[in-house]
Amino acid sequence: MLLYSFAIALYGGLLHLAARLGHPKAKAWVAGRRNWEARLRAAIQTEGPHWVWIHCASLGEFEQGRPLIDYLHDNHPEWRLLVTFFSDSGFRIRQHYPKAHHVAFLPLDLPGQAHRFLSIVNPAFGVFVKYELWLNSLAEARHRNIPLLLIAARPKAESPAFRWPLRGLYRKGYASFAHIFAQDTQAEQTLRSLGLTQVSVGSDPRYDRVAAGAAQWTEVPGIRDFLRGRPCIVAGSTWPQDEALLLPAWQALPPANRPCLIIAPHEIHKEKLRKLVDESAGKALLYSELSQLSDSHEVLWIDNVGMLSRLYAYAKVAYVGGAFGTGLHNILEAAVFGCPLLFGPKYHAFPEAEALITAGGAVSVQNREALQQQLAAWLDNTVGTDLVRQANKQFVEEKKGATDTIIQWITAAGWLKRTI
């Protein structure tokens, strides 16, 4: 643990150095943890005792934990909910989530900070989502007899955590959890390779989340005015690499039946979007300027955060970004509406992508030509596209239930009746 703590301290020092040099994400990480102790103590004093701690690495993990957060808020008002993030992006977008009583950055995982954090919160129990095993925080929780649950776990067998010299440390970290719900049998087997026995397959709560979102869907203002009855391609969470293929592939479709295009970038840079609109010869428009809509507009750039999951309901075909870069973004938000799915080649770490490809509801494309051909095929074949839509909706429907399984386990364990 000494070497681990040294590595964490070094990591923190490098982040502070990067922040001083102007790195924006490092600056946000450092600024978010400034005076964390005073802010956390004030929140705990304001809300009172009886806390449940839920930790998410970033926004994607929050969406996996969100069905559980919502359930606890709606059905157990006697508990206060603390949601912590490691990343700035998750915190920035969800810091005012109404069903969490307080949202905070998790302090750097050093023994002293872990001790102070748990001394202030004193949670009845904690839930970690998917991964990010902060070993000093887990050790402190063990010392205080705070029960912990790990949900939606999907560790990679090739991870350094499963090899010497870290294997023993991380085995102890995983052993800190009273139970671990793995996303699938492969993840369960990977965890059992450490000698763990408190593991079962619990699926992925994201299926519950997207299904609930689809059931509660509401219109996005102005979108039907933009569509004017035209078929639409919705491209979500795109990066420049995605857009460099998508825009030419869309432009190459026959003008007579070319669909309109809605693009929601993963990162919103106002200057870049302004330039793209200005250079479009009147074909593109920002969502924030929808009042200027005219018949010439064929491309709508979404310049806000929060409506993407609702936009997929309008799509005849969906493109999901990230798989030409660091990795594929959330495809389930589109699949729940039955959208035929397109994405790039880096999808192998995502079991839902592999399953949908096997089922025929998704296609991975390597280049612009392949993207254009598949767009044309799905746009021209209404019968085939309708079959894909039915299959993708059914795929999500059959995967639901993870949240109920987790809630049943927590209830049976008596954690919701614990006295503090």
Side-chain angles (χ1 to χ4, degrees), residues 284-351:
L285 185 68
L286 296 175
Y287 181 82
S288 61
E289 298 174 352
L290 205 54
S291 60
Q292 302 173 25
L293 179 64
S294 72
D295 289 347
S296 67
H297 290 127
E298 300 179 64
V299 180
L300 183 65
W301 289 92
I302 305 301
D303 54 348
N304 63 55
V305 174
M307 65 170 58
L308 173 59
S309 61
R310 293 157 65 202
L311 290 172
Y312 286 124
Y314 300 98
K316 186 167 184 180
V317 178
Y319 178 95
V320 180
F324 280 97
T326 57
L328 181 63
H329 291 295
N330 191 346
I331 63 172
L332 296 180
E333 291 179 337
V336 72
F337 292 107
C339 299
L341 288 158
L342 290 163
F343 42 78
K346 296 183 180 180
Y347 65 87
H348 297 286
F350 303 88

Side-chain angles (χ1 to χ4, degrees), residues 243-273:
E243 294 152 16
L245 274 66
L246 178 64
L247 286 166
W250 169 80
Q251 186 69 41
L253 295 172
N257 58 355
R258 181 188 298 139
C260 55
L261 177 61
I262 298 175
I263 306 177
H266 181 69
E267 293 184 345
I268 296 171
H269 300 289
K270 298 286 188 180
E271 299 81 4
K272 173 199 165 185
L273 293 179

Side-chain angles (χ1 to χ4, degrees), residues 216-286:
Q216 299 163 5
W217 181 85
T218 57
E219 292 272 0
V220 179
I223 294 299
R224 291 204 186 274
D225 294 332
F226 170 74
L227 297 180
R228 299 194 305 278
R230 297 174 293 179
C232 179
I233 300 168
V234 174
S237 301
T238 59
W239 292 84
Q241 302 99 308
D242 300 296
E243 294 152 16
L245 274 66
L246 178 64
L247 286 166
W250 169 80
Q251 186 69 41
L253 295 172
N257 58 355
R258 181 188 298 139
C260 55
L261 177 61
I262 298 175
I263 306 177
H266 181 69
E267 293 184 345
I268 296 171
H269 300 289
K270 298 286 188 180
E271 299 81 4
K272 173 199 165 185
L273 293 179
R274 178 78 268 160
K275 183 178 179 183
L276 287 168
V277 168
D278 290 344
E279 293 175 348
S280 71
K283 291 184 178 181
L285 185 68
L286 296 175

Side-chain angles (χ1 to χ4, degrees), residues 133-176:
L133 271 65
W134 298 111
L135 299 183
N136 283 316
S137 295
L138 295 179
E140 185 67 23
R142 283 198 307 272
H143 176 72
R144 294 171 178 271
N145 294 316
I146 298 170
L148 300 174
L149 185 66
L150 177 60
I151 66 173
R154 196 169 184 271
K156 297 178 181 178
E158 64 273 17
S159 166
F162 289 83
R163 298 197 299 269
W164 187 88
L166 298 179
R167 182 181 173 89
L169 277 178
Y170 277 90
R171 187 201 178 285
K172 189 173 183 179
Y174 278 113
S176 302

Side-chain angles (χ1 to χ4, degrees), residues 380-396:
D380 291 342
N381 185 356
T382 300
V383 174
T385 303
D386 287 345
L387 291 174
V388 169
R389 298 185 77 87
Q390 294 170 17
N392 283 1
K393 287 181 181 179
Q394 185 65 27
F395 174 82
V396 175

Side-chain angles (χ1 to χ4, degrees), residues 27 36 44 52 73 78 107 112 123 177 201 325-326 358 360 374 391 403 419:
K27 287 174 67 175
W36 69 266
I44 299 296
V52 174
H73 176 276
E78 69 273 22
F177 294 98
V201 176
T326 57
T358 300
Q374 190 59 48
T403 305
T419 57

